[in-house]
Amino acid sequence: MEITLQREKPTCNCGVFGIYGSEHASLETYYGLHALQHRGQEACGIVTRSIGTKGKPVFYGHKGEGLVTEVFEDHDIFQNKLIGKVAIGHNRYSTTGSAQSVKNIQPFTVNYRLGNLAVAHNGTLTNAKIIRDELVNEGAIFQTTSDTEVILHLIARSRLENQVEQIMEAIQKIDGAFSLVLMTDDKLVAARDQYGFRPLVIGKLNGAYIITSETCAFDLISAEFIREVEPGEIVVIDDEVLKTGEIKSYQISDTTSPQKHCIFEYIYFSRPDSFIFGHNVDKMRRRLGKILARNHPVYNEDEKKVIVISVPDSSNTTALGYQTELEKLGVNCRLEIGLIRSHYIGRTFIQPGQTNREIGVKIKFNTVKGVLEGRTVVIVDDSIVRGTTSRQLVKLIRDANPKSIHLRISSSPITHPCFYGMDFPSKEELIANNFNSNIPEMGKYLGVDSLEYLTVDEMLEAVSEAGKDNFCYACFSGKYPTEVDLDFKKEIYEL
Ligand code: SF4
């Protein structure tokens, strides 16, 4: 049986990339998607715009299931197929719609009354089902089961005569989380919801403009970061902008809306080398580690140094912050590489059965036994979802004969679903719900000598430089910043 190892972290973010005015638009989009691969590994696609033989704009696309390097294995397509100076691209985990459906791979394109249109979306629209039902009742035929398609329908059905105005009109009808890039026959348009749940940044490369999810995509192609797309803002790039250098900007919603950035972007999703929500992710992740150490330290049990290790790679920076602060607290400690992670798993053959399920973790991680043997070991991780992987990981570390194992988590227990673009397993599968958030009992189940999480207040304290009130933390608290329909997710999957 060939299976993909069960994801031990929340999934379903996506990465978006758009570029206007570059001779190598598709290739740069490919590199951008490569840098954003962590935001979605199920599928990806690129759509470009060129001028056809009849002098009219033509859209060209290529998409498929798999990693960016797999989908764009044939490099000739950048020369021969994906031509033009404008492009948008998308990396995907499925948030709504069947993960298996090739039709759901973005960017989506349509040809309608005012021309061509392509869209790539990161987030989840909380009222997509309602809009979709209305449109279907009016005769609309949907091609996909994705919430993103409703945006195209709303734009295509608008009676306005200007594409940007049509996009603005459509955006005023959608709710929830969206960081969007859209391509029209003569423009690149980007929009971010009024809460700013997901990041969206603007950059420049040799006169071309880029709009993408994270700044790490700029670094790979040596583009310069200009600014973030503000919550509630629409940005338009066209030939005029290339000439004047003045980005066209429109406010689509009340500027006084509270910002509600996804705190999980700082905890786990975004890359530590990115700059989002006004700050470096690396700095915020270190702060989470520091606050974790300050509030949940592990002290020496003997004269030997406490060994702090991360669960690579997402917890590396947090572990660094934890160890630095622990040392400041006077604990004799050292940051070590105690777990080695294989980056070459892909789809791995695993026999069914309990013993072989354990091999899943062993394929991914191995211990550096000399580092752990006889030591007080602190494992720093960013989150626990089901707990099954953490439990197997602890067993693996226990096999290396440490003196004791202490697990420290740089987020609060996950207890609620996300309605803004992240996919957690069902409530019944979440370890925190199964143990009623009883942390000592969860620790016993995981097989550690102690387990501590950050509280919600401690988490918010860690990110307070970006404004304590500016974050969504609903999956840890059930306090959703917008109205949500608790049946929404179930329904949309049944489309
Ligand atoms: S519910 Fe959790 S994952 Fe979803 S946006 Fe809020 S903080 Fe992020």
Side-chain angles (χ1 to χ4, degrees):
M1 174 174 71
E2 196 182 84
I3 64 163
T4 304
L5 297 176
Q6 191 180 48
R7 293 184 198 124
E8 71 277 18
K9 298 291 176 191
T11 53
C12 283
N13 230 316
C14 296
V16 297
F17 188 97
I19 184 162
Y20 191 99
S22 169
E23 293 292 337
H24 312 286
S26 61
L27 193 60
E28 276 142 5
T29 305
Y30 164 78
Y31 288 133
L33 293 182
H34 202 285
L36 298 174
Q37 188 74 84
H38 61 289
R39 296 186 75 87
Q41 292 145 31
E42 278 178 2
C44 57
I46 297 176
V47 174
T48 61
R49 189 218 71 190
S50 182
I51 302 300
T53 45
K54 291 178 185 162
K56 285 194 169 168
V58 184
F59 280 20
Y60 301 96
H62 183 83
K63 24 188 185 174
E65 288 179 319
L67 300 173
V68 176
T69 47
E70 294 163 350
V71 174
F72 296 96
E73 204 178 5
D74 174 9
H75 296 175
D76 286 347
I77 58 174
F78 299 115
Q79 296 284 344
N80 305 327
K81 186 176 174 189
L82 296 176
I83 52 172
K85 293 184 181 178
V86 190
I88 65 169
H90 189 260
N91 273 336
R92 160 171 187 266
Y93 276 130
S94 61
T95 40
T96 65
S98 158
Q100 271 69 46
S101 171
V102 175
K103 280 188 173 175
N104 283 343
I105 301 172
Q106 298 186 31
F108 296 150
T109 51
V110 285
N111 181 276
Y112 76 112
R113 186 172 60 90
L114 294 193
N116 296 296
L117 192 64
V119 63
H121 172 207
N122 174 205
T124 300
L125 306 182
T126 49
N127 64 343
K129 176 75 168 69
I130 300 164
I131 298 175
R132 187 182 174 113
D133 284 350
E134 282 170 12
L135 293 172
V136 168
N137 280 338
E138 288 165 16
I141 297 168
F142 279 77
Q143 301 288 321
T144 75
T145 57
S146 162
D147 60 335
T148 307
E149 196 186 348
V150 303
I151 301 169
L152 288 181
H153 281 265
L154 289 172
I155 296 168
R157 293 167 83 92
S158 169
R159 299 326 295 166
L160 296 170
E161 293 301 328
N162 171 307
Q163 280 188 303
V164 173
E165 283 174 14
Q166 288 183 330
I167 292 169
M168 285 165 82
E169 185 187 58
I171 280 169
Q172 268 149 4
K173 291 180 183 162
I174 56 177
D175 285 334
F178 55 89
S179 281
L180 295 167
V181 290
L182 301 111
M183 190 168 70
T184 71
D185 282 335
D186 60 358
K187 291 177 176 56
L188 173 68
V189 182
R192 195 169 171 213
D193 64 77
Q194 60 182 312
Y195 299 97
F197 281 108
R198 303 280 152 227
L200 198 61
V201 290
I202 310 172
K204 219 173 163 185
L205 174 68
N206 301 328
Y209 283 84
I210 302 167
I211 299 175
T212 185
S213 298
E214 291 183 42
T215 58
C216 64
F218 296 149
D219 298 336
L220 184 60
I221 52 174
S222 303
E224 161 204 2
F225 167 66
I226 299 179
R227 69 171 175 89
E228 299 187 60
V229 176
E230 296 298 327
E233 184 186 11
I234 287 191
V235 161
V236 178
I237 310 291
D238 56 16
D239 285 351
E240 209 179 305
V241 174
L242 295 192
K243 275 187 216 137
T244 63
E246 280 176 35
I247 296 169
K248 296 177 186 174
S249 164
Y250 307 89
Q251 201 62 36
I252 38 166
S253 56
D254 185 1
T255 45
T256 58
S257 292
Q259 298 190 1
K260 293 293 169 194
H261 310 309
C262 170
I263 199 168
F264 234 125
E265 292 278 354
Y266 277 153
I267 293 167
Y268 165 69
F269 296 128
S270 291
R271 262 177 45 167
D273 49 338
S274 284
F275 177 94
I276 59 161
F277 308 152
H279 295 268
N280 290 320
V281 178
D282 162 82
K283 181 180 72 178
M284 289 304 190
R285 215 160 274 176
R286 269 176 212 244
R287 288 256 316 149
L288 284 156
K290 284 181 184 180
I291 300 290
L292 187 61
R294 219 175 284 163
N295 291 285
H296 309 284
V298 173
Y299 294 104
N300 299 92
E301 297 171 306
D302 50 30
E303 72 292 345
K304 290 181 191 159
K305 287 189 178 200
V306 168
I307 299 299
V308 178
I309 64 168
S310 72
V311 180
D313 299 313
S314 57
S315 310
N316 291 351
T317 315
T318 318
L320 199 60
Y322 187 92
Q323 189 272 334
T324 317
E325 193 66 16
L326 201 63
E327 200 162 38
K328 272 196 201 158
L329 293 172
V331 177
N332 189 13
C333 60
R334 193 167 69 216
L335 184 70
E336 275 287 1
I337 295 168
L339 283 169
I340 302 297
R341 177 182 179 154
S342 166
H343 291 93
Y344 314 107
I345 303 170
R347 292 176 76 83
T348 307
F349 175 81
I350 297 179
Q351 291 277 9
Q354 178 62 37
T355 322
N356 287 302
R357 266 212 295 275
E358 282 166 19
I359 213 163
V361 166
K362 287 189 174 177
I363 282 172
K364 199 165 179 183
F365 295 107
N366 195 17
T367 51
V368 182
K369 293 172 188 63
V371 164
L372 306 171
E373 198 171 3
R375 298 305 192 113
T376 301
V377 174
V378 187
I379 312 168
V380 177
D381 203 355
D382 42 66
S383 53
I384 306 178
V385 181
R386 294 181 182 85
T388 41
T389 305
S390 305
R391 195 174 181 208
Q392 286 164 14
L393 200 58
V394 170
K395 189 173 176 300
L396 197 70
I397 292 169
R398 191 68 79 187
D399 289 343
N401 286 321
K403 183 175 180 127
S404 57
I405 303 175
H406 307 270
L407 184 54
R408 295 293 179 267
I409 307 297
S410 63
S411 63
S412 298
I414 301 167
T415 50
H416 289 77
C418 172
F419 293 91
Y420 310 117
M422 216 55 63
D423 191 22
F424 297 115
S426 68
K427 258 190 151 183
E428 297 69 42
E429 288 177 85
L430 294 171
I431 184 176
N433 283 333
N434 285 334
F435 286 88
N436 222 354
S437 294
N438 184 325
I439 293 172
E441 285 302 314
M442 283 193 263
K444 274 189 215 160
Y445 168 79
L446 296 173
V448 292
D449 296 277
S450 76
L451 168 67
E452 297 290 349
Y453 285 85
L454 283 179
T455 64
V456 167
D457 283 345
E458 288 162 0
M459 238 169 28
L460 292 173
E461 183 195 342
V463 297
S464 57
E465 259 188 65
K468 260 187 177 185
D469 298 329
N470 290 346
F471 285 92
C472 170
Y473 50 91
C475 49
F476 307 108
S477 65
K479 290 180 189 161
Y480 294 97
T482 68
E483 246 179 65
V484 289
D485 171 3
L486 293 171
D487 291 329
F488 160 75
K489 194 161 195 166
K490 187 170 161 284
E491 285 180 3
I492 201 95
Y493 269 103
E494 286 169 356
L495 284 170

